[in-house]
Amino acid sequence: MAERKSWDSAYKYLFSSRQVFHQFLTRFVEEDFVQGLAVEDVELVDKSFVSDELLDRESDIIYRVDLPGREVYVYVLLEFQSSPDKTIPVRMLLYILQLYDQLFRSSTKGLLPAVFPVLLYNGSRPWNVPFNISELIAREIPARYIPSFEYYPIIERDIPPERLEQIKGLVAAIMYLEQQEDETALARTIDRAIAMIAEEQPEQLRQFGHWINRMFRGSLDTGDIEKVHQLTEVQTMLAEVVEKIEQRGVEQGMQQGMQQARREDARKMVLEGLEIPLVSRITGLSEQVIREMQKEQK
């Protein structure tokens, strides 16, 4: 997969939009309390509510959700390591307890609000960490004294591409592209991703453009992205990205071919008995590389 900027910061930017977070919550969380929510019912928690220490962590996002007669909080942990982390249940519970401590400092009246914990994992390896922290704790004491805390897992690799195409929308399109193994596969599937965001508003189309720019190492001009208002403009930009990917592939192939030719020339020169420093000057290969080739020939 292409070299990319921090996934955590990319998703934090994406979920700073209440429209995008609402889409994520209502289309990927299969729980009754999120069904029927309006965009206006979700609000990103700002620094007036929790401490800087909680908000500044790149991997954490928290929203307030207004339900009829009450409010709950949705806490999302972004886990974008290549392999599962066994400490995730502990980290999630610790974050929520820190949040509750912050709430107690503000007021001790009434019950604490419910916090719904969500894990979003986009690693390539299977997620094999228990969903409940109690499964990580030894059972030498009665079960009622062992903490029970369960999180809601959203494991991208386990969502079939066909399902993402049915869900549609910005978040589904991004997950669809993330499932591709390399830049070539991404280029082949961009058209399908475009079809998945056909009903998005201009703001979401621009967010998609910024996301693509992160994935493909700044292949687009950010000024052009900000001018996007309709789907055809996104398609034009992505055609430019695909062209650059193909050009990079051609250039890499040419570089590899030239490198192989230089090595073959150096091999012949060494067999003819030319001194290594001279071979290095002629071919441009380092003396160390030529010595290693000489050892292989012997």
Side-chain angles (χ1 to χ4, degrees):
M1 184 63 73
E3 179 184 349
R4 304 174 187 175
K5 297 181 180 180
S6 167
W7 286 112
D8 292 351
S9 62
Y11 260 98
K12 204 152 192 177
Y13 157 76
L14 192 68
F15 284 164
S16 64
S17 163
R18 68 196 305 181
Q19 288 85 0
V20 175
F21 189 82
H22 172 267
Q23 184 184 107
F24 168 74
L25 190 62
T26 56
R27 299 188 188 186
F28 289 89
V29 173
E30 297 180 0
E31 294 290 351
D32 292 341
F33 81 94
V34 304
Q35 304 308 314
L37 287 177
V39 173
E40 295 72 23
D41 295 331
V42 301
E43 180 181 0
L44 182 65
V45 171
D46 60 24
K47 292 191 176 186
S48 65
F49 180 74
V50 298
S51 68
D52 292 351
E53 178 187 356
L54 291 181
L55 281 176
D56 287 343
R57 301 196 315 190
E58 285 291 332
S59 59
D60 300 313
I61 298 168
I62 186 165
Y63 264 79
R64 181 190 293 112
V65 177
D66 291 327
L67 299 176
R70 66 194 191 283
E71 63 180 18
V72 302
Y73 292 86
V74 176
Y75 160 55
V76 180
L77 175 64
L78 307 171
E79 181 59 17
F80 297 149
Q81 303 299 321
S82 59
S83 58
D85 182 352
K86 188 178 179 180
T87 68
I88 287 296
V90 176
R91 285 168 52 195
M92 296 186 76
L93 178 58
L94 178 61
Y95 182 97
I96 292 175
L97 291 176
Q98 288 177 317
L99 176 61
Y100 281 150
D101 180 65
Q102 187 78 21
L103 292 170
F104 265 133
R105 292 173 188 269
S106 303
S107 174
T108 58
K109 297 180 180 179
L111 295 175
L112 289 167
V115 179
F116 181 66
V118 180
L119 169 76
L120 178 58
Y121 171 69
N122 80 340
S124 58
R125 298 184 182 179
W127 185 258
N128 55 10
V129 179
F131 295 154
N132 196 307
I133 195 173
S134 64
E135 297 180 41
L136 298 175
I137 302 174
R139 298 285 176 162
E140 279 79 7
I141 59 175
R144 63 181 180 274
Y145 301 114
I146 295 176
S148 177
F149 163 78
E150 187 165 330
Y151 58 91
Y152 189 95
I154 298 178
I155 314 301
E156 287 190 19
R157 71 182 303 277
D158 292 341
I159 305 176
E162 299 79 12
R163 174 59 180 154
L164 292 173
E165 291 186 62
Q166 291 175 351
I167 293 174
K168 297 183 180 180
L170 179 64
V171 180
I174 286 172
M175 289 186 181
Y176 183 83
L177 291 176
E178 285 182 348
Q179 290 182 349
Q180 310 310 313
E181 296 179 354
D182 52 37
E183 281 192 343
T184 303
L186 280 167
R188 288 198 306 266
T189 54
I190 280 178
D191 286 343
R192 293 184 183 178
I194 285 290
M196 295 167 68
I197 62 170
E199 299 178 4
E200 296 294 319
Q201 298 300 311
E203 180 184 351
Q204 281 68 57
L205 295 179
R206 289 190 288 272
Q207 288 175 320
F208 185 75
H210 283 298
W211 182 272
I212 290 293
N213 212 22
R214 287 175 182 268
M215 294 183 78
F216 292 106
R217 298 169 288 174
S219 298
L220 300 171
D221 186 292
T222 54
D224 292 338
I225 296 175
E226 288 303 317
K227 297 175 184 177
V228 167
H229 287 87
Q230 54 189 355
L231 193 64
T232 53
E233 294 170 323
V234 178
Q235 290 172 313
T236 301
M237 285 195 308
L238 294 187
E240 177 185 340
V241 171
V242 172
E243 183 178 348
K244 288 183 178 180
I245 292 173
E246 292 173 346
Q247 182 61 34
R248 280 206 297 264
V250 171
E251 291 173 355
Q252 290 172 357
M254 292 175 61
Q255 291 172 0
Q256 291 172 358
M258 291 174 61
Q259 183 74 0
Q260 290 174 354
R262 285 198 295 265
R263 291 178 68 90
E264 180 61 21
D265 290 342
R267 185 186 68 81
K268 293 177 180 178
M269 293 177 191
V270 170
L271 288 174
E272 291 294 331
L274 273 67
E275 296 293 332
I276 288 178
L278 177 59
V279 175
S280 177
R281 288 197 299 272
I282 295 173
T283 63
L285 298 174
S286 69
E287 293 186 14
Q288 181 181 354
V289 169
I290 297 170
R291 289 192 183 94
E292 291 174 354
M293 292 172 57
Q294 190 178 45
K295 289 179 182 178
E296 292 173 0
Q297 289 175 356
K298 292 180 179 179

